[in-house]
Each structure stands twice: as C-alpha cells, then as structure tokens.
Amino acid sequence: MEHVPALDEDLKKTLGPATAKVLAEQLGLHTALDLLHHYPRRYAERGELTSLADLADQLDEHVTVVAQVADARLLTYQGSRGGGKRLEVTITDGSGRLQLVFFGAGVHKPHKELLPGSRAMFAGKVSRFNHKLQLAHPAYEPLGADASDRDAATAFAGRLIPIYPACAKLESWKIAKCVDAVLPRAQEAVDPLPPALREGRGLVPLPEALLKIHRPATKADVEDARQRLKWDEAFVLQVALARRRHADSQLPAVARRAAPGGLLDSFDAKLPFTLTEGQRTVSQEIFDDLATSHPMHRLLQGEVGSGKTMVALRAMLAVVDSGGQAAMLAPTEVLAQQHHRSITEMMGELAEGGMLGGSDQGTKVVLLTGSMGTAARRQALLDLVTGEAGIVIGTHALIEDKVQFHDLGLVVVDEQHRFGVEQRDALRSKGKQPPHLLVMTATPIPRTVAMTVFGDLETSVLDQLPAGRSPIATHVVPAKDKPHFLARAWERVREEVENGHQAYVVCPRIGDGEDEPKGKKKASAEDEAEKRPPLAVLEIAEQLTRGPLAGLSVEVLHGRMDPADKDDVMRRFASGEVKVLVATTVIEVGVNVPNSTVMVIMDADRFGVSQLHQLRGRVGRGSAPGLCLLVSEMHEASPARARLAAVAATLDGFELSRIDLEQRREGDVLGQAQSGVRSSLRMLAVIEDEEVIAQAREEAARVVAADPGLEHLPGLRTALDALLDTEREQYLEKG
C-alpha cells in the first residue's frame, strides 16, 4: 500500500529549508510523520514551577525549564580587551535556584525583559562555573500577561506545556511551533491497530492519541495517548517477529537425530563429570527441536559459566551423528580460537576423525578465521565442502561467499548481540535446506527484552552453575578516596600468584595512540576522573611490571595484536606460564582458564553493568574461590559508584541486566540486536511495560496466524513497512 503522501512529505515544504535542515541533521526528523512521533519528554504546568533540582544530572545537555526571575544584576568588568557588561539573572522554581549569564551586547534585551517576578521558559545547555550550575546565553520565551504576550499567555493558560527533546539550534518551544504546523495532518495518520483489538483494549484512535500527546488539556489526556502509542510500538514490533516465526515454521528442514551408540554417546561416555539438571533439560529441548522437519530457532541464554558451550557442543555432535555438519559463529578471533581449543580438548580423539590416532567415530573440527594463512584456509574450505569436517568454528569469515558446506545442518551463533539478523541469515542460507539455528547469549536478558529483541526465537534458560564452581567475591576499590586499598589489591594479586594461581587485569583502552577517543567525550558531573582518558593496557602493564608486580610474568592481550601473537599469549596463559594477563575486554566471553582466581578491573565505572558481570565470570571457574576487584576513582555518592555497588552486591546476572537496562535507553539494547530495525521505542520502556509487550505478543501471534500476509490490514502493513528497512524486509521475506 502506498504511504500517505501528506505525512510522508519532506518538512521543507511546511517549515522551510532552514528549520527542516536542523530537524533532519540534529534530531533525525525528515517528514511530518517523524515530527508527529517526536513526543514531548515531559510537561510543565502553567503556574507550576518545574524542577531545577534535577539539573545536576543533565550537565552538558540541552534543557528547558519554566521558572521565575528572583533577581537580576548588571555588572561591568575589565577584561584583556577592555571593559564589558555581564548580566547575571537568578531564577527559581521552589525546588532550587539557577544562574543565567549574558555577556556583551547580548545583555540589553534580557535586562529589559527579565525583571524580578517575571516568568519565562528558558532553554540552554547546562554547564558548571565556579562549582555552580548555570545556563550561559539561554534562549527564553516570556510567559507574561501584558498586551504583547496575551496570545502566548492564552495559548499556555491552564494548559500543560510540552517540553520536547531539543538541540542547541532549536529550543523546545520552537519545536512546539513546528509540531503545531503539522498537527492538523494527524487526522490522516493510518491506524496500524486492527479495529477489534483497539476497541477490545479500550484504546483511543491514533489521530486522537497524537493530538493528545502533543497538546493535552489534562494529565488524563497524556495517559490515554501514552497507553495507545505504547501499544502501537509493541504490537508492530511483535507482528514483525511473529511473521518471521510464521515464515520459519513453513520452511522444510532435515530432521537430525543422534545415532544410538554414535558420536554423541561416545562423547557423553568419556565426560569426567555429570551434566547439571539444567544442562540435561535444555539439551532435551534442543534434541526435540532438531528431530522435527522444520528449522529449530532457539535462544539459549544462561548465567556466566553455566555451561552453554557444553550444551551447544552436544547439539552439534547430534547433528554430525545424523550425517550433517555444524557451524559455530563467534564474534572475535580470540573467542573463535578459544572455542576451537576447548572443543577439541573436550572431544579428545573424537575430534581427530580420519587422522592417525583418531577415533573411528570421530569427526574433524576445523577453525576458519579471516587472518589464517592461505594453505590452512584452503584445507579448511576443502574439509567443509567434502564433509570431512563435521564441525567448523569461525568468525565472520564463515559468511563469505566462497565458504561451501557439504550438508550444513546446524548453525550455532555465539554472543548473538554482536551479530545482526542479516548475518545469521547469511550463514543459514548456506544449507541445502534451511539449517537449524541455536543462538547463545552470555548476557542474561530479562524476559521482556527476550520477547522484544529475540521474539522470533524460542527461549531456553540455564540458571544452574556446574558442580565444583566456586563463589566469586566482588569488592569496590575506591582508588582516589583510599589509595591504600589499591596497594592492597596488588598485594592480593601477588598472594594469589604465590599460591599457584593466575590473575587478569582489565583496562578500557589499549593505549597505542590509535585508540584515543575521537571527539570530546560527554563530560559528566561525577568527577574530574571522567575528564582524563581511560586507563590503558600498555601503560598499566608497564607500571605493574616496574612496580607492584615486579618479578611476575606479566603479558598483554588486546584486539589489535597479530592473531598469532594473541593465540600464543592465550596458550601460555592457559598453560600457566603467564601469571598475570593485562587485557582489554577481548577476554569478556568464552575465555576459560580455571586456574585464574583474581581479576582487577581498572576504571570499572567505564564499563556497563552486564559487561562487568561478564568479565568477572572469567574467574572462579575452578575449585578455588574467585575474587573480582572493581577499581574506580569516582566519588562515593556518584551514580557510577552506585552501579558498581550493585554489581558487588549480587551474582544474579538476570537481576543485573534489569538494573543495566533501567539505567540505559532501550534503544541501545534493541539497536544492537535488531539490525535493520530502527530502535524506535520512543514511548515503550521494555522493563516497565512488561504486560503490554506480553499482551502484544499474543495479539500479534493471533493476527498473523489468521492473516500472514496482512492482506486485510493495510494500516498495519504500512506501519510494518515503516519499521523495517528494505534490506531487513527482504530477510523477513526469506525467513
């Protein structure tokens, strides 16, 4: 169906080229429909004093406040270029006070207009000067009641004033005027919700919702609009996922069953430990899926160290048993090499099929990465096309056109959030028939996120740790407040090494000059610590070898090293030759050295909550207890320290992922995984709106089952086209 022309028209025609250019470049708004979906961040009430108390959290951001002038002082000062004038205006809203400053010729107009007692909307960038928050040269819009302001006053009287997400060149009230220009067109908005659903749920029509969100008369209007717009976002996204699930369920696949007395049974028989109850249950779910004649699509998520790789390997062996091949896609070379090493070690002679000393039932396990030598690469490609290799582990190199399989039966994607939907589909397209798909994520995800991001997959959860795993103690080390704590941290590292164990030291940066941050990092009110560059691997390694860890075997590992050097360092660390590994987050997932018992994370406040949880999962993997020390220079009352305290307080990854998500915008989460889908959750908050998402998922499944092509729902079809870009749509059609 064609888009509604009036709503899809470029904003230049309505607002003029200059304003349209700012909206497009600064806020990503190109059409009238985009602008109608640019919702107010909050509302100020006429006569209500909005909160200045919250501004400390918005340093360096553009804000709009409604406040009253408490006093104004015009000062004359002597500068290096002669004298000048400076106007200092203090505004108040009952919750706090804020200083506004104007300089030079810019003082005259505000000096006349901003008189004590007058009220206005002020917009500008929050900065700090002499330890006080201020707005320098803010734009302002008086909310007076004299003749010239009567129209403005009438417009605002008794109304909620929408405060929009704004930018330096376009203040909130100017955006409000732009919205006014396109608001009449809201009547033409095509409603994506089927009428029966909308009426059954008591939701207002879309044009009414758009009118109420932008120009509410009451708070109840805002609530009506929010409920309706949340449903739109949840439902359209769930329909996209339901259509994908439906398309996948129509595809044929080869049923793969393990042969009795075959490779899987031989592998299980030689395991030196028993599988956990969770591993057995999840394995059975996977085997049941593999035995069906349409492709499995399963998400396997679990706690750090819960044994996901073991479950994935058993699934791969079952497929090899049935005559097929299995491919595991890893996001980095370090991780691909690590998986290859640990899988061949676990399988022993079973990984040497066709080789001298290999088992009769064995198969070949090959590695394929972008940096392999030509001869090794040629041999790996040959082993895949002939079927000699039953299992291949690789990076993006597996997706390249020249990679051919004899009979690809299963694709395992590790760390799904690093791969887009397109990449997992590109690998799946290499099967003669669509292969089964197992997606693994080591970052535990709240149920709502799993439904929103991975809604096209069935979900299995591993939440039990294998027997013999040791608890990990986590402590925050306040390096600035208590330097002796940091000295003690290095003593603890020495003690662990002297007791025969090993340690990781993790830094946010490599430090070879190439990884200097581009452009200025957003400043934070938290502390001066934020202003210095993050600590770097190369610098810290040098300081440690000269200082507190002198005499110990210390090596570095980072993503820009030559692959052969990386592999060499990892091998020597795994064998115990290297005692302390100073690394970037290349060790975040999959690296398994059970003898490592302590990890020191430098500038821990620069990492996300889930990432810290991932990192500490590298220690405590053997029988000795693990210790994770989070080093930070942030002061005790800062939000960053609160995050670190949360990580120290719990080992529950699902709980931490909720905390992480509440602190970040969902767009980050959706943007990573939903490659090709605009992370356009403007109204829906995936943690808070759990119920809406679950209900939308049920409704979407019902709608798609009845009308997979959405033939009778043109409005929904249009909304879906807007959500999916063309490339993503092609993949959706492919299934």
Side-chain angles (χ1 to χ4, degrees), residues 384-402:
L384 288 180
V385 77
T386 59
E388 193 80 14
I391 295 176
V392 58
I393 295 143
T395 54
H396 291 75
L398 282 177
I399 298 171
E400 289 168 13
D401 289 345
K402 59 173 80 90

Side-chain angles (χ1 to χ4, degrees), residues 8 128 159 211 229 343 500 560:
D8 261 8
R128 196 187 284 281
R159 279 295 175 95
L211 206 61
L229 296 167
I343 283 173
R560 235 188 325 266

Side-chain angles (χ1 to χ4, degrees), residues 71-75 86-90 99-102 107 129:
D71 64 62
R73 296 185 303 153
L74 189 60
L75 308 170
R86 167 190 173 96
L87 177 66
E88 290 181 358
V89 178
T90 305
Q99 189 169 62
L100 317 176
V101 289
F102 302 87
V107 304
F129 181 71

Side-chain angles (χ1 to χ4, degrees), residues 62 79 139 182 209 218 282 333 464 467 533 551 703 709:
H62 291 278
V182 299
T218 62
V282 169
E333 292 209 350
Q464 255 181 316
V703 164

Side-chain angles (χ1 to χ4, degrees), residues 178-197:
C178 295
V179 170
D180 283 337
V182 299
L183 206 49
R185 296 187 199 171
Q187 295 306 323
E188 299 164 46
V190 179
D191 201 323
L193 296 189
L197 188 162

Side-chain angles (χ1 to χ4, degrees), residues 638-655:
S638 64
R641 280 284 291 278
R643 277 206 316 275
L644 298 183
V647 175
T650 180
L651 289 170
D652 182 342
F654 287 92
E655 176 57 31

